[in-house]
Amino acid sequence: MKIMIAGGDGFCGWPTSLHLAARGHEILIVDNLVRRTYDEELNTQSLTPIASLEERVRSVRETTPWAIDTLIGDLQDYDVVEQALRSFQPDAIVHFAEQRSAPYSMMDREHAVYTQVNNVVGTLNLLYGIKAVCPDAHLIKLGTMGEYGTPNIDIEEGYLRVEHNGRSDVLPYPKQPFSMYHLSKVHDSHNIMFACKAWGLRATDLNQGVVYGYQTDETRQNPLFVNRLDYDHVFGTVLNRFCAQAVIGHDLTVYGEGGQTRGFLEIRDTVRCIELAALHPADQGEFRVFNQFTEQFSVLELAKRVEAVAQSLGFNTKIAHLENPRVEKQSHYYHAKHTKLLDLGLEPHLLSDTMITEMLQEAYRHQDRIRASALLPTITWR
Ligand code: UPG
């Protein structure tokens, strides 16, 4: 297949590009490299040293038979979108090209507006571009489990059967997102659903949980393929942050009680889920939703797992309960369905102590790159 990967330079996009290329698909990465600019703005950096996109793709060409091309551009510019789609004529478009940090979106008005405009306009341009250029192509959009929030009932995969005043219908599952960022994904979901209905496009919204890990079989193959690993309070996801904190003797930063429960998955499952969605496209006119995670944990459970493994390796690791900078329930019911990707053949890599050990060892190897000032949360929701 010809697969365009918008956001192919990022944390999920780069390993997905490699994974799909290694399986013989022809890849076009479209990316404006802004993820690297956020690091400069926030005075932080990936824990792992990463090559530039140019170096990454050059070394793919020199050392593998994989086909990856790049186009540097911003999806907010419709000409870029149309040019990419016309020249490449993709069968599928994977869309990661969004500002994906909740804290970043909550910094102030400017960052909230940037996040929502960037995300919503980029997706709208893609939808119009697909309609104009390749209406048969399958849009695979990264959504988030954070669209649903934490309702006191089971979370379904996208849709809920509702009985009301003696009638019943299957309706989009109610959305109670956690941040201005998560809201942008809700807006996207509505726009994509409408485009499928009105124009007959085909789309899959992958409501992904919190990702941990950073290496895949392909990123391990060459030091220039290594993926980024964020540990800072803005872009680092919680388990990866705990591993970085442990190796420099920093307390594990549990926000509040730590009863916040979320769906999680390892990055090796992220790339496989995208592949499964691409291999089994949505029907023409269908807006399909999959919940993309493999296990659920509370934040405190994860902290205890990391604490135990780190202590067994000789680190002096402790858990600290910080005042929660976010507005979120800290003790709640959580049960989210996630069977559709399993039905397509996903074989999950569940969280293991071996995995945590590898993460700690890797973080320890690069500990001199950790900026302690980037660890404590300074952005509040209030
Ligand atoms: N948390 C802590 N301590 C930390 C960091 C986070 O207690 O040091 C808590 C946080 O309050 C939240 C949970 O951990 O309850 C998860 O937070 P985090 O790992 O930052 O993930 P999200 O903010 O949910 O966002 C990530 C991705 C986003 C994606 C989402 C999927 O950044 O792009 O949509 O996971 O759920």
Side-chain angles (χ1 to χ4, degrees), residues 177-179 262 324-330 380-382:
F178 296 122
S179 71
R262 302 285 185 266
N324 195 339
R326 304 187 185 195
V327 175
E328 59 187 358
K329 287 185 199 144
Q330 294 175 44
T380 72
W381 266 224
R382 292 171 184 85

Side-chain angles (χ1 to χ4, degrees), residues 254-261 297-300 329-332:
V254 170
Y255 298 167
E257 296 166 31
Q260 306 93 303
T261 303
F297 298 104
S298 74
V299 167
L300 188 58
K329 287 185 199 144
Q330 294 175 44
S331 160
H332 58 89

Side-chain angles (χ1 to χ4, degrees), residues 31-273:
D31 200 299
N32 65 352
L33 308 179
V34 73
R35 180 64 193 83
R36 295 167 188 261
T37 316
Y38 302 147
D39 278 352
E40 286 164 26
E41 176 190 351
L42 299 167
N43 190 27
T44 181
Q45 60 181 357
S46 164
L47 181 58
T48 45
I50 53 169
S52 68
L53 180 60
E54 209 184 329
E55 290 167 320
R56 283 174 158 180
V57 172
R58 192 187 319 123
S59 65
V60 165
R61 288 211 190 97
E62 286 169 0
T63 61
T64 72
W66 310 340
I68 303 186
D69 216 336
T70 55
L71 191 154
I72 305 302
D74 189 334
L75 300 189
Q76 287 189 72
D77 179 350
Y78 181 69
D79 292 343
V80 168
V81 173
E82 195 172 324
Q83 187 204 333
L85 294 173
R86 279 204 195 287
S87 62
F88 189 59
Q89 293 292 332
D91 302 300
I93 297 128
V94 185
H95 179 20
F96 291 105
E98 299 205 322
Q99 194 298 96
R100 64 111 182 132
S101 157
Y104 190 88
S105 76
M106 298 299 293
M107 280 166 80
D108 52 26
R109 186 191 63 80
E110 281 83 357
H111 288 82
V113 170
Y114 164 76
T115 300
Q116 293 207 357
V117 171
N118 179 71
N119 294 3
V120 174
V121 172
T123 300
L124 266 179
N125 280 343
L126 258 184
L127 291 170
Y128 273 89
I130 294 169
K131 174 178 183 252
V133 178
C134 48
D136 201 36
H138 176 206
L139 174 64
I140 300 167
K141 166 68 168 50
L142 267 290
T144 172
M145 286 300 293
E147 291 189 31
Y148 302 117
T150 50
N152 199 29
I153 57 171
D154 291 352
I155 294 172
E156 303 295 323
E157 297 197 64
Y159 296 92
L160 179 67
R161 174 162 289 283
V162 178
E163 313 282 337
H164 183 63
N165 292 348
R167 301 182 64 82
S168 104
D169 201 352
V170 176
L171 299 171
Y173 196 94
K175 307 291 169 70
Q176 303 182 74
F178 296 122
S179 71
M180 291 295 178
Y181 150 70
H182 292 97
L183 275 154
S184 74
K185 297 271 189 179
V186 173
H187 306 329
D188 284 338
S189 294
H190 289 141
N191 289 345
I192 301 167
M193 186 177 183
F194 177 77
C196 290
K197 206 181 332 182
W199 308 330
L201 303 190
R202 55 175 94 228
T204 303
D205 207 0
L206 295 173
N207 283 342
Q208 185 165 246
V210 184
V211 179
Y212 62 85
Y214 75 104
Q215 292 274 51
T216 61
D217 295 346
E218 292 79 26
T219 63
R220 286 179 203 279
Q221 288 189 23
N222 183 323
L224 293 173
F225 298 175
V226 165
N227 195 16
R228 59 177 307 123
L229 174 50
D230 302 302
Y231 66 88
D232 60 282
H233 69 104
V234 186
F235 278 92
T237 50
V238 64
L239 183 69
N240 288 358
R241 274 168 59 68
F242 288 164
C243 292
Q245 291 165 352
V247 300
I248 60 161
H250 195 285
D251 290 349
L252 309 188
T253 55
V254 170
Y255 298 167
E257 296 166 31
Q260 306 93 303
T261 303
R262 302 285 185 266
F264 286 81
L265 77 165
E266 206 209 291
I267 192 139
R268 286 185 293 170
D269 290 335
T270 292
V271 303
R272 177 66 178 145
C273 289

